[in-house]
Amino acid sequence: MSRVGKKPIPIPGGVTVKVAGSDVSVSGPKGSLAWRAPATAKVSYDDGAKMISVNRVNDAKQARANHGLTRALIANMLQGVAVGFERRLQIFGTGYNCKLQGKTLHLNVGYSGRRRGIGSQFELPVPNGVEVTVEKEAARGDNEPAQFVIRGCDKQKVGQFAAEVRSLRRTEPYNGKGIRYEGEVIKRKQGKALSGSGG
């Protein structure tokens, strides 16, 4: 029996749950989500106890694999609609900046060929169900990064968009310039030292 899968999932306050066969839908202060569980899992909702339980229909390999996964995904749905998820990102590099215009995130992160007078180096449409808040538009020096936050009730969407943004300019190890998650540790490398001829 899966140690994760067998644990009942408590329903947070203010969250409404509907289970119809394999279809699970939840709604709360941060939004609404719906998902269809795999056929190998049986989802039950106890309205009186305010609990969701997940059981597998048999002990086949795929059923065992899906048991804990199903429970974890439903727990993420409940947390998402109750309190939401967020990823905080920072942009290091003098002159690097970010701004939000409508539902488009604009980034300038040091690449050559910037479209002068036309737009930014990268213009990323913000996915539906995801919210971006820019807290500081421009980076200053090595210790004052530009900062923005990606929020949403769908953990997968938030994480996917954050990963896409970060991949545009991964932090390089010498000067630390680039996009990183807040708190991410970058292994720094020492640059080549110039030595005189000694003559």
Side-chain angles (χ1 to χ4, degrees), residues 139-184:
R140 298 179 184 275
D142 295 332
N143 299 316
E144 296 184 34
Q147 301 181 78
F148 61 98
V149 187
I150 299 173
R151 295 186 176 93
C153 62
D154 189 325
K155 186 175 184 180
Q156 192 275 333
K157 281 187 177 181
V158 170
Q160 179 66 33
F161 188 58
E164 290 174 1
V165 173
R166 179 175 172 270
S167 70
L168 296 176
R169 183 78 183 208
R170 294 187 181 275
T171 303
E172 50 88 16
Y174 295 100
N175 296 313
K177 295 181 178 180
I179 306 172
R180 69 179 80 167
Y181 298 125
E182 185 180 72
E184 181 179 357

Side-chain angles (χ1 to χ4, degrees), residues 1 20 25 27 30 51 73-74 86 114 138 141 152:
M1 180 67 72
S25 59
S27 59
K30 298 297 183 179
M51 292 281 186
L73 291 176
I74 294 175
E86 70 174 34
R114 179 174 175 178

Side-chain angles (χ1 to χ4, degrees), residues 4 6-7 10 31 34 51 63 73 77 124 130 136 184 188:
V4 173
K6 67 182 181 181
K7 294 180 180 178
M51 292 281 186
L73 291 176
M77 290 171 63
L124 306 175
V130 174
K136 187 174 182 181
E184 181 179 357
R188 302 294 290 270

Side-chain angles (χ1 to χ4, degrees), residues 71-85:
R71 193 265 181 201
L73 291 176
I74 294 175
N76 285 342
M77 290 171 63
L78 293 170
Q79 182 181 345
V81 300
V83 297
F85 294 98

Side-chain angles (χ1 to χ4, degrees), residues 1-195:
M1 180 67 72
S2 169
R3 287 182 293 177
V4 173
K6 67 182 181 181
K7 294 180 180 178
I9 312 169
I11 309 300
V15 173
T16 303
V17 176
K18 292 182 180 179
V19 176
S22 297
D23 294 322
V24 181
S25 59
V26 297
S27 59
K30 298 297 183 179
S32 300
L33 294 172
W35 180 66
R36 173 166 288 184
T40 55
K42 181 181 179 182
V43 181
S44 304
Y45 173 49
D46 186 337
D47 189 29
K50 296 295 181 184
M51 292 281 186
I52 293 177
S53 58
V54 179
N55 296 290
R56 56 179 182 249
V57 297
N58 55 48
D59 287 329
K61 182 178 180 180
Q62 193 60 51
R64 295 197 308 271
N66 287 338
H67 190 189
L69 174 64
T70 299
R71 193 265 181 201
L73 291 176
I74 294 175
N76 285 342
M77 290 171 63
L78 293 170
Q79 182 181 345
V81 300
V83 297
F85 294 98
E86 70 174 34
R87 293 306 304 259
R88 308 182 72 88
L89 288 94
Q90 300 176 321
I91 306 175
F92 286 83
T94 301
Y96 292 14
N97 59 72
C98 61
K99 60 183 177 180
L100 187 68
Q101 292 184 345
K103 289 285 289 182
T104 303
L105 178 64
H106 295 252
L107 298 171
N108 291 300
V109 286
Y111 288 113
S112 61
R114 179 174 175 178
R115 297 181 294 166
R116 297 178 182 175
I118 301 177
S120 306
Q121 291 170 347
F122 297 101
E123 298 178 4
L124 306 175
V126 178
N128 291 330
V130 174
E131 175 188 344
V132 176
T133 303
V134 175
E135 297 182 339
K136 187 174 182 181
E137 287 192 356
R140 298 179 184 275
D142 295 332
N143 299 316
E144 296 184 34
Q147 301 181 78
F148 61 98
V149 187
I150 299 173
R151 295 186 176 93
C153 62
D154 189 325
K155 186 175 184 180
Q156 192 275 333
K157 281 187 177 181
V158 170
Q160 179 66 33
F161 188 58
E164 290 174 1
V165 173
R166 179 175 172 270
S167 70
L168 296 176
R169 183 78 183 208
R170 294 187 181 275
T171 303
E172 50 88 16
Y174 295 100
N175 296 313
K177 295 181 178 180
I179 306 172
R180 69 179 80 167
Y181 298 125
E182 185 180 72
E184 181 179 357
V185 177
I186 305 298
K187 291 185 178 180
R188 302 294 290 270
K189 295 181 179 180
Q190 185 175 4
K192 293 181 179 180
L194 297 178
S195 57

